[in-house]
Amino acid sequence: MMRSSGRRPTVRVIVGGAATKRPDTLATEEPLEIRVGRRPLAVTMRTPGDELDLALGFLVTEGVIGAPDDVVTAILCGDDGFNVVEVTLAAHVPPPDASVERNFYTTSSCGVCGKASIDAIRTRSRFDLAADAVSVEPSVIIALPDRLRAAQRTFDRTGGLHAAGLFTSAGELVVVREDVGRHNAVDKVVGWALQAGLLPLTGHLLMVSGRASFELTQKAWMAGIPLLAAVSAPSTLAVDLAVEAGMTLAGFVRGDTFNLYAHPHRVHLP
C-alpha cells in the first residue's frame, strides 16, 4: 500500500532541557518513472499518490498531450506495482520530441533541472489566456491560502509538503493535490483536470503554497489557467512569462494583502 508519509526515529533537542527520543512522521519521497510507448521519458521524485494524475499532468505541461482522447491507456506498472506509469498515446498524437526527455531525473525541488537544453524549457501553450475574461474579487484571492491549507491533510501530519489548489472564480475549491515537489503538485492538479475533461481551465484560479516560479507559471499556461496566486514571491522570469501569456499573477498572498505582477485587470481594484 502506498503511503504519503512514514515514521522515522528522531532525537528532539530542547536547549536547556533534556533530549528525548521519539518517532517523527515525515513526507514520503520516492521515484516515479514515466514511460510513453514503453520508452522511459522522465523520472521524478514525488510523494506517492495520484500517480496517473502526475504522469498525465506532466505530459500536458510538457506539450505532449492536451485532451483526454490523446491518451489510449495510462496504467501503473513496474516491479513494485506503483512506481512506473506507462502511457500509450493515441495514433494521432506525435511521440514526445527528444527535447522533452530528461537527461537525468527531476528532483522534488526543481522540475526543469534535467531539461536537455535551455531552449526546451519554454513550451508554448495551445490555449489563449488573453481571451479569458474571468473577473475576481480581492476578497476571493486573500481567502485562498487558508482554504488551501485547510485541505492539506498530509501536511498536517508531516509539515513537509507543497500544495496546489484549483479554485473557481468565486473561491470554491475544485481539487487540491500535495507533493514534496511543487511542480508535481501542479502536474497532479492538471492531470486530474485532463481526466475530468476540464481543459482548458478557463475561469479558474490556481493557488500554490510556495513561490511562483517560471516553471509553475508555464504549467499554469499549458493548462489554460488565467490566474496564478502564490503565498510567496514570483521570480523575474515568472513575471515575464505571465505578461507574455496574458496571465494574472499574484504573489505574497498573505493576510489581507497581495501584490499583482501581471495583468491586474482581472482583479476588481478600488
Side-chain angles (χ1 to χ4, degrees):
M1 180 179 178
M2 292 179 294
R3 293 184 180 274
S4 58
S5 61
R7 304 276 279 177
R8 296 293 186 272
T10 184
V11 176
R12 181 172 178 81
V13 178
I14 301 177
V15 177
T20 57
K21 294 182 178 180
R22 68 179 188 180
D24 195 12
T25 301
L26 306 175
T28 302
E29 184 175 28
E30 293 182 356
L32 177 72
E33 180 179 308
I34 301 171
R35 299 175 185 170
V36 175
R38 298 187 178 180
R39 179 180 179 181
L41 184 68
V43 175
T44 184
M45 300 302 295
R46 98 302 184 190
T47 299
D50 307 302
E51 277 72 23
L52 297 183
D53 288 350
L54 174 55
L56 294 175
F58 173 83
L59 294 179
V60 169
T61 59
E62 291 291 342
V64 178
I65 61 176
D69 62 4
D70 288 343
V71 177
V72 177
T73 59
I75 59 173
L76 283 168
C77 56
D79 294 338
D80 51 20
F82 60 86
N83 275 342
V84 176
V85 174
E86 173 77 40
V87 179
T88 302
L89 301 179
H92 66 271
V93 181
D97 186 87
S99 64
V100 176
E101 294 183 16
R102 307 295 190 180
N103 283 340
F104 301 103
Y105 68 91
T106 303
T107 70
S108 57
S109 61
C110 176
V112 299
C113 302
K115 283 284 192 176
S117 70
I118 295 297
D119 291 339
I121 291 177
R122 174 170 272 139
T123 306
R124 289 288 178 174
S125 176
R126 65 186 73 190
F127 304 127
D128 179 16
L129 298 187
D132 195 320
V134 65
S135 185
V136 183
E137 294 291 340
S139 58
V140 168
I141 294 178
I142 62 173
L144 296 181
D146 287 343
R147 292 178 181 177
L148 179 65
R149 176 66 183 82
Q152 290 184 253
R153 295 180 179 179
T154 307
F155 184 90
D156 287 337
R157 300 194 303 271
T158 67
L161 289 180
H162 292 284
L166 185 69
F167 294 84
T168 67
S169 60
E172 298 173 349
L173 179 64
V174 178
V175 66
V176 65
R177 291 290 185 265
E178 293 180 283
D179 201 277
V180 288
R182 57 174 61 87
H183 56 285
N184 289 336
V186 173
D187 278 342
K188 287 179 177 180
V189 167
V190 174
W192 174 90
L194 174 82
Q195 296 179 86
L198 295 178
L199 296 185
L201 287 165
T202 305
H204 287 79
L205 321 177
L206 182 67
M207 181 73 208
V208 295
S209 59
R211 60 188 176 87
S213 64
F214 169 90
E215 182 189 16
L216 298 194
T217 306
Q218 174 182 282
K219 288 180 180 295
W221 186 9
M222 295 298 291
I225 299 172
L227 193 152
L228 171 63
V231 172
S232 297
S235 67
T236 55
L237 278 179
V239 174
D240 293 345
L241 187 64
V243 170
E244 177 186 343
M247 179 190 303
T248 300
L249 179 60
F252 289 111
V253 184
R254 301 172 183 176
D256 60 356
T257 65
F258 58 90
N259 296 340
L260 290 171
Y261 294 90
H263 300 284
H265 64 279
R266 291 193 177 94
V267 181
H268 294 163
L269 301 177

